[in-house]
Amino acid sequence: MTAHRLTFKVTRSRALDTGEDVWVALAVGAPGSVSGESLTELVEEVEAVKHFCLGLPKDTPVSVEYVYELPGLPQDVLTSYRRERAHLDESARAIAARLREAGLSERDSAMLLDVPESRMDLLERSA
């Protein structure tokens, strides 16, 4: 099955009806836009409309890319951070697995990696 991609340009804007600042996502190359009070709410709204924007059935895979246009934050800075963070997370998962194999506790592993113990649980579940 062909995977489809949809890009949303995300900005902050003042809502006309309430005067509150909201997140706005505009579909690029397809009809549709959504808004939300938080990024979490915005992503939920995008998930609800992405198939409609592309005119696809709900069971068709659609991956979404978000392009953030925020004053003072160039997109490449955020992209670079996310890429580096993904690399660090991958390294942390590999090290966590080796520490577990060496018999270290989550607490000791967290201390060695300088992360909260709760983060170790996430690293182990995603390994």
Side-chain angles (χ1 to χ4, degrees):
M1 188 177 287
T2 303
H4 297 270
R5 295 186 53 78
L6 182 59
T7 300
F8 280 87
K9 181 177 78 168
V10 179
T11 61
R12 293 282 289 166
S13 183
R14 187 151 314 241
L16 297 175
D17 56 346
T18 65
E20 300 288 325
D21 285 336
V22 295
W23 291 98
V24 177
L26 302 169
V28 176
S33 66
V34 296
S35 64
E37 292 180 11
S38 68
L39 283 174
T40 301
E41 184 178 313
L42 186 77
V43 168
E44 290 171 358
E45 294 295 323
V46 165
E47 287 299 312
V49 303
K50 66 184 183 183
H51 291 91
F52 176 77
C53 292
L54 295 174
L56 296 171
K58 287 273 188 197
D59 62 344
T60 304
V62 175
S63 64
V64 176
E65 177 184 5
Y66 296 92
V67 176
Y68 296 91
E69 293 187 355
L70 303 171
L73 182 66
Q75 177 64 33
D76 61 333
V77 170
L78 186 56
T79 300
S80 175
Y81 167 79
R82 287 182 163 177
R83 192 176 305 120
E84 289 177 35
R85 177 64 191 257
H87 178 73
L88 287 172
D89 287 348
E90 184 180 313
S91 296
R93 281 190 294 278
I95 293 169
R98 293 185 72 179
L99 293 173
R100 187 173 48 256
E101 290 169 4
L104 274 72
S105 68
E106 278 188 14
R107 176 175 279 165
D108 288 342
S109 295
M111 182 69 171
L112 284 172
L113 296 178
D114 193 26
V115 297
E117 195 170 338
S118 59
R119 178 89 169 111
M120 291 304 300
D121 185 48
L122 291 173
L123 291 172
E124 289 178 359
R125 280 191 274 141
S126 62

